[in-house]
Amino acid sequence: MTRTPPAPAAPASAAPGTTRVRSALRTLAIVACLPCIALKTAWIAGSHIGVPENSSLLDHRATMIAANGLSVLMDSAVVVIAFLLTRPWGRRVPA
């Protein structure tokens, strides 16, 4: 069996331009997810913001709570992944 040599260590600090780009992309990803998380959380709490008065969406409350809860979890995962991919401590998190 052949052993693969270890990958060279990454530099301790990234270039300043790279850090700014990562920070901007992280902020953009989080800001893009926040309205969806807030709206779906409001729907789970019982708000009718953005839902027409006689909509069929209001007929199945339990299904809507489950679907919106799953969607909030997925959007929250995007925020966590954005941090993991752009912060130095993200490299230490197991795959």
Side-chain angles (χ1 to χ4, degrees), residues 2-63:
T2 306
R3 292 200 132 202
T4 305
S13 63
T18 305
T19 305
R20 282 192 216 123
V21 170
R22 285 183 181 178
S23 178
L25 290 174
R26 177 181 60 241
T27 302
L28 179 65
I30 293 170
V31 168
C33 289
L34 287 180
C36 187
I37 292 172
L39 183 62
K40 293 194 182 260
T41 303
W43 286 343
I44 291 170
S47 176
H48 297 291
I49 297 171
V51 180
E53 197 62 39
N54 296 324
S55 176
S56 63
L57 296 174
L58 300 174
D59 295 340
H60 307 286
R61 178 106 175 104
T63 305

Side-chain angles (χ1 to χ4, degrees), residues 67-83:
N68 286 322
L70 181 63
S71 181
V72 166
L73 287 175
M74 289 188 300
D75 282 333
S76 299
V78 170
V79 172
V80 170
I81 290 170
F83 276 112

